[in-house]
Amino acid sequence: MRSSLDDAAAARARAILDVVASIPRGRVSTYGVVAERAGLPRQARLVGRVLGGLPAGSRVPWHRVVAAGGRIAFPAGSDARAEQLARLEAEGVTARRGRIDLDRDGWGGGSGDLDRRLWAREG
DNA sequence: CAAATGACGGGGT
DNA sequence: AACCCCGCCATTT
């Protein structure tokens, strides 16, 4: 049966997935930023947990979410790591030494988005 | 109910 | 910049 706690958890998951789905193609955000924008400050770990629970064929752009500082969260050599880098590369986001330049490709970072200020790229 | 876990974050070295 | 350590929080042991 479904307890009220499960419902609450499902609601948080939806809020998180909504934010992730709103990250524009070619841009990336971080676990912490997603959590904040989902109304769940300080729950970056929950974002990771929710994304980890996504079914294989999900349409949610989980690859646009990286760790703080633009770091790729998956361990070097892992399949998930390669998959994420490939997907990002496919939309024009390149990683240098396992990191994404958030000043350039980042999205949502509160006062961040240097790129949006400079080039008014959509977002 | 205490301890461990983890697609995390931030600060110190 | 790489690392380590500790804080955070929902879940699971």
Side-chain angles (χ1 to χ4, degrees):
Chain A
M1 44 169 35
R2 210 159 53 197
S3 72
S4 59
L5 261 64
D6 291 331
D7 287 343
R12 289 196 294 275
R14 282 197 301 278
I16 288 169
L17 294 178
D18 280 349
V19 173
V20 174
S22 72
I23 303 172
R25 188 185 151 75
R27 309 288 300 282
V28 300
S29 193
T30 70
Y31 296 97
V33 168
V34 169
E36 177 106 357
R37 289 179 74 103
L40 301 166
R42 287 182 294 302
Q43 295 205 189
R45 297 193 105 123
L46 180 58
V47 174
R49 180 192 306 287
V50 170
L51 292 185
L54 287 175
S58 175
R59 163 196 73 63
V60 178
W62 56 269
H63 58 285
R64 295 181 192 148
V65 183
V66 299
R71 194 186 100 260
I72 298 296
F74 299 108
S78 66
D79 288 22
R81 168 95 168 210
E83 172 70 9
Q84 180 166 32
L85 289 175
R87 289 195 184 200
L88 288 174
E89 194 71 34
E91 37 191 83
V93 178
T94 59
R96 315 296 275 216
R97 297 204 311 294
R99 284 176 184 278
I100 301 301
D101 182 347
L102 292 182
D103 284 336
R104 194 190 54 153
D105 303 312
W107 174 87
S111 58
D113 276 39
L114 173 63
D115 193 49
R116 181 168 43 181
R117 299 200 301 277
L118 295 179
W119 304 91
R121 191 194 278 199
E122 68 221 300

